[in-house]
Amino acid sequence: MAWASAIRTAPPRAGAAALADLIEEAEQVADAARVLDGVADLLVAQAEGLSVLQVGAFDEVMTVLAEGVGTGSRGRLARQVTALPRPPRKLARRLACDPEPSVAVPVLARCAALPDEVLLHVARSRGPVHLAAIARRERVAARVADVLADRGDQAVMATLIANRGAQLSLSALTILSERMEDKDRLAAGLAAREGLLPRQRDALLRPATRPGPGRRAVEAVALRVRLGLDDADLRLWLADGRIAEALIGLAHLAGCPVERAEAAYRSPGLRALAVIVRAADLRLSTLGAYLRARPGPALTPEAAGAAVQAYR
């Protein structure tokens, strides 16, 4: 591990060629996990005395090594990196985006060096465990909180509303007020929000009344019914975000009230929606289109399998 010591002893202005040599050696290491553990220990021990350029050298080499190790090694590395006062930025971003929660969560929850762009990427692409880690950060920017409010499950939303370091816009608060099932937690979170006017708080706690379908949506469906409403029309409406038309059309084909189709579409469970789609004699792919269009977190493989079983 002579090259690892070379990082520590390198002069503050070591050339790019020297760093390239170190990275090339790192790519050829046979036992990357053992070497990475040693380099991480060295970084932690010497962190206070390292220059910015030396930390950058560690960053480049450790990022290369991390690509060749298993989940356990990456998880240990994530916990070490998170504890550093000045963590290697490139490595921290790589670990934060890791699909394995045991790797990403420590970094997402506690590493202050992560930029909002990385948090946004993870919030838009990962599941509830990753989102919950972001929701409990000491500081959550408004644009990140907006995504968490829209995609998070009930646990993520409860964590977010209780986090005083989360900057919640009125848009995010409105989404939380509509989606959160635990109204007591919602009320407690709103009560702790500074700058929220009493009338705004009252409005957010007031049960929402859903308006009936717009006249244009009803007319659009009526026209398609006359021409021959089928799966393709519903899937096209769903793809275009025209949920009202898709639900009115579904209710018509299934012979049920629109309110029942809408309740099934918005329900946390999937069985009712699957049964209505089947009752409408629609294809399984059409059920998939409705499931993909639903608000909230992305569907897990287990939930999708349960919906297919209910349909069949």
Coordinates of all heavy atoms in Angstrom, one line a residue, residues 23 91 218 238 305:
I23 N -4.2 6.7 -9.4 CA -5.5 6.2 -9.8 C -5.3 4.9 -10.7 O -6.0 3.9 -10.5 CB -6.3 7.2 -10.6 CG1 -6.6 8.4 -9.7 CG2 -7.5 6.7 -11.2 CD1 -7.2 9.6 -10.4
L91 N -16.6 11.1 -3.7 CA -16.9 9.8 -3.1 C -18.2 9.9 -2.3 O -19.1 9.0 -2.4 CB -15.8 9.4 -2.1 CG -16.0 8.1 -1.3 CD1 -16.0 6.9 -2.3 CD2 -14.9 7.9 -0.3
V218 N -65.8 15.6 -19.2 CA -67.0 14.8 -19.5 C -67.3 14.8 -21.0 O -67.7 13.7 -21.5 CB -68.2 15.4 -18.7 CG1 -69.5 14.7 -19.0 CG2 -67.9 15.2 -17.2
L238 N -54.0 8.8 -19.9 CA -53.1 8.6 -18.7 C -51.7 9.2 -19.1 O -51.0 9.8 -18.3 CB -53.0 7.2 -18.3 CG -54.3 6.6 -17.7 CD1 -54.2 5.1 -17.6 CD2 -54.5 7.2 -16.3
G305 N -47.0 -7.1 -8.2 CA -47.4 -8.5 -8.3 C -48.8 -8.8 -7.7 O -49.6 -9.6 -8.2

